[in-house]
Amino acid sequence: MTRPVVTRFAPSPTGMLHIGGVRTALFCWLFAKKHGGRFILRIEDTDLSRSTDDNIRIIEEGMAWCGLEWDEGPVVGDPSKWVGPHGPYRQMQRMDRYRAKVQELLDQDLAYRCRCSREELESRRSAVEAAGKVFQYNRGLDAGKGCAAKHHDASESAAIRFRMPEGGDIVLHDLIKGEIRFPADSLDDWIIARSSETPGEIGVPTYNFCVVVDDTHMEVSHVIRGDDHVNNTPKQIPLFAAFGFPLPAFAHVPMILGKDGAKLSKRHGATSITEYQAMGFLPSAVRLALARLSWTPKQDGKAAETAEEEILTDADMIRLFDLADVQKSAARFDMDKLSWMNQKLIQRASWRELEHHLRPFVPEVVWDEKSDEWKATAITATQKGKSLVEMAESLRFAFERPETFDEAAAAKFITDAVKPALREVLALEDYSHDALKAAFDGIMERHGLKLKDVAQALRVALCGRPVSPMIFETMYLVGRDEVRTRVEKWL
């Protein structure tokens, strides 16, 4: 019987939510949605020295902003609550389960207590490395020198090590990278639980142990993660076998590089997802841009042939997503491409779709007081912007009077020839588009002017510079009383 598809994104809250992590989460989300499965968010916070509640909150909020809603996982902002039958979804809240599983391995002699001191380990490591070998606990030159055969009891504090298989290969059948073999003799007996200060107590389990227990308990069918985890996999595969759990399918996605081929860093642009939110990118643009990193969607067996064909909806991506189309090589992140996609999606969106995303970038108190007609006009008038920040900046004139003016533009456009026409504009009452057009036609005919003559003068008076949306929309957004106040000072 085929297992239901279950994927998980399991970040460690030791820093900001990096776009590489978001791309991995996106692939997990797309795969689960494609196959009608479940997507889990799990917080792996066993690194006690670096994990923080703030980082957990940033991960949860960043994932929520990206639109990668999880079927199981924590409730944003409340560590005591979760959604799903396998909670809690923070590892530090699952210690009882891990310790029971450690004890299960001890009882079956598949793990053992290690009382080696740090000093003793360093001494043995130095001796092995001096002989030109790699130190491996209970392997190679260190065989028989550790605690594997000593059968220590629980009377003293001890770390817990897992007995790795000896001889042969540990084989990883990766859905992206293909078959990878790891000689079992190249891997040492690794620590699955740290030493506790309390004798007899099992200490905090390590990442590679917890992740296997969680993936089995949560019925994860496909582990899709970054290829920096490839070397963790040969440790985890024997642990799945030791517990008698079915092995999930593994798919390791390639890393993300900068446009120049170097490791992605600040000099290539923002690396934290919260920075992209602050820069005014739509979540849909971020999803699309990240999805296209190392994935080439194909329709009827063919990749997109034009730039326009690259603009996919979430529904398109879910329908087309296939791990077989994910490349093995690293992807190059291009900020210019993201900006282009963002602008395209802004232009294609309805004003109602954009309103929610634009609100954080404009004065909310003022914005919320405006009518739907006003908001629709404001958004459609600035919808050529490349970002929400750019749209909000283009609307600043509608919320506040300009503090400075382009003096050269004022001298050029607010002339004695135009001022009589501006006085007539001040007398207008009806600011609907058709009424303004009809009124302007008459004003321009009476004064022998063109629309651009009056419009540019108005823009300088209303906005401080000769740049704004179409002049009738600009006047409507400023409002009749405010137009009169701003223009009168120039007459």
Side-chain angles (χ1 to χ4, degrees):
M1 181 177 179
T2 303
R3 295 171 64 185
V5 168
V6 180
T7 64
R8 50 74 165 174
F9 176 53
S12 177
T14 56
M16 307 298 280
L17 181 58
H18 192 276
I19 60 170
V22 177
R23 194 273 302 266
T24 299
L26 175 64
F27 280 10
C28 293
W29 183 81
L30 288 172
F31 190 82
K33 297 302 178 186
K34 168 71 175 285
H35 296 281
R38 305 196 320 273
F39 171 58
I40 298 171
L41 174 62
R42 187 174 74 221
I43 305 299
E44 300 189 338
D45 56 348
T46 55
D47 186 340
L48 302 181
S49 64
R50 299 172 61 205
S51 298
T52 68
D53 287 340
D54 277 346
N55 287 339
I56 292 174
R57 175 184 54 79
I58 289 169
I59 288 171
E60 293 172 348
E61 291 178 353
M63 288 283 290
W65 174 79
C66 285
L68 301 180
E69 297 181 356
W70 48 94
D71 301 296
E72 296 183 34
V75 171
V76 178
D78 191 339
S80 67
K81 296 180 180 179
W82 59 83
V83 176
H86 302 105
Y89 293 87
R90 290 190 186 188
Q91 285 187 332
M92 287 307 296
Q93 297 175 342
R94 297 170 61 82
M95 287 295 110
D96 289 346
R97 174 174 290 275
Y98 303 141
R99 290 185 172 116
K101 286 297 181 181
V102 171
Q103 187 61 52
E104 182 180 313
L105 295 178
L106 287 170
D107 293 342
Q108 298 176 26
D109 200 29
L110 296 173
Y112 57 90
R113 291 179 173 85
C114 173
R115 295 180 182 174
C116 295
S117 67
R118 179 172 297 180
E119 292 75 18
E120 182 181 354
L121 288 172
E122 286 302 318
S123 175
R124 282 154 51 192
R125 183 187 301 276
S126 297
V128 169
E129 292 177 348
K133 302 290 185 179
V134 176
F135 177 74
Q136 298 165 281
Y137 192 94
N138 199 37
R139 292 287 193 279
L141 296 182
D142 193 60
K145 296 180 181 180
C147 300
K150 294 180 180 178
H151 303 289
H152 293 305
D153 60 23
S155 62
E156 296 182 24
S157 296
I160 312 296
R161 289 184 183 271
F162 177 64
R163 293 185 189 275
M164 288 289 284
E166 298 181 9
D169 291 340
I170 297 171
V171 183
L172 165 62
H173 298 283
D174 195 281
L175 297 178
I176 294 174
K177 296 182 175 297
E179 182 179 279
I180 305 174
R181 290 180 173 269
F182 304 87
D185 289 342
S186 68
L187 301 161
D188 59 4
D189 290 353
W190 53 283
I191 293 175
I192 61 176
R194 303 172 181 90
S195 178
S196 171
E197 294 181 0
T198 304
E201 181 180 89
I202 295 172
V204 176
T206 57
Y207 163 79
N208 278 305
F209 180 81
C210 296
V211 74
V212 171
V213 174
D214 287 343
D215 284 346
T216 54
H217 178 230
M218 297 177 185
E219 303 173 336
V220 172
S221 65
H222 292 75
V223 174
I224 303 170
R225 58 189 180 186
D227 61 7
D228 54 326
H229 287 283
V230 167
N231 289 334
N232 290 326
T233 314
K235 294 182 177 181
Q236 295 168 3
I237 289 175
L239 191 56
F240 278 103
F243 284 131
F245 293 139
L247 195 67
F250 290 93
H252 290 88
V253 300
M255 67 186 300
I256 301 175
L257 303 176
K259 191 176 181 180
D260 58 0
K263 184 177 180 180
L264 192 66
S265 65
K266 285 287 187 181
R267 66 188 179 89
H268 299 108
T271 56
S272 167
I273 197 64
T274 54
E275 293 178 86
Y276 289 93
Q277 181 180 3
M279 291 162 64
F281 287 99
L282 292 174
S284 56
V286 173
R287 290 195 298 271
L288 177 58
L290 292 181
R292 296 306 312 277
L293 296 177
S294 294
W295 173 50
T296 303
K298 295 177 181 177
Q299 302 211 45
D300 300 323
K302 295 181 179 180
E305 296 180 352
T306 67
E308 290 295 328
E309 289 178 352
E310 293 187 33
I311 304 299
L312 302 175
T313 65
D314 284 346
D316 292 331
M317 291 194 290
I318 291 169
R319 175 173 55 84
L320 298 172
F321 189 75
D322 191 332
L323 287 171
D325 295 328
V326 176
Q327 303 156 10
K328 298 179 183 179
S329 58
R332 299 197 180 195
F333 181 69
D334 188 342
M335 278 290 294
D336 293 334
K337 187 68 172 288
L338 171 59
S339 294
W340 176 79
M341 288 180 171
N342 198 54
Q343 186 172 30
K344 286 292 184 182
L345 290 172
I346 285 175
Q347 291 171 352
R348 294 185 179 194
S350 69
W351 78 265
R352 286 194 179 277
E353 291 172 320
L354 290 175
E355 194 267 339
H356 168 73
H357 298 294
L358 183 62
R359 180 181 280 122
F361 298 93
V362 295
E364 284 195 60
V365 174
V366 180
W367 181 267
D368 290 342
E369 292 176 348
K370 299 295 186 180
S371 66
D372 282 354
E373 181 183 2
W374 190 95
K375 292 174 184 176
T377 301
I379 290 172
T380 55
T382 57
Q383 214 162 342
K384 293 182 179 180
K386 293 181 179 180
S387 71
L388 300 168
V389 170
E390 193 172 301
M391 290 177 65
E393 181 61 29
S394 297
L395 281 173
R396 180 179 297 205
F397 71 87
F399 301 106
E400 58 187 59
R401 295 173 186 173
E403 295 182 356
T404 60
F405 293 86
D406 183 333
E407 295 182 3
K412 179 179 180 181
F413 295 116
I414 305 180
T415 64
D416 290 340
V418 172
K419 288 181 179 179
L422 295 180
R423 291 190 180 90
E424 287 198 42
V425 169
L426 295 189
L428 299 178
E429 294 290 339
D430 189 343
Y431 268 40
S432 65
H433 183 278
D434 291 346
L436 284 175
K437 185 180 184 307
F440 267 64
D441 287 344
I443 291 171
M444 290 181 293
E445 183 177 354
R446 287 191 292 275
H447 296 278
L449 299 171
K450 296 181 179 179
L451 177 60
K452 67 177 183 179
D453 300 323
V454 181
Q456 291 299 78
L458 280 170
R459 285 191 173 96
V460 173
L462 297 176
C463 309
R465 56 181 187 155
V467 178
S468 81
M470 299 294 289
I471 193 58
F472 300 149
E473 282 79 3
T474 298
M475 292 176 63
Y476 170 76
L477 293 173
V478 171
R480 183 179 61 243
D481 293 342
E482 184 65 18
V483 167
R484 289 171 177 170
T485 299
R486 294 187 193 184
V487 174
E488 280 175 348
K489 65 179 291 184
W490 294 95
L491 303 179

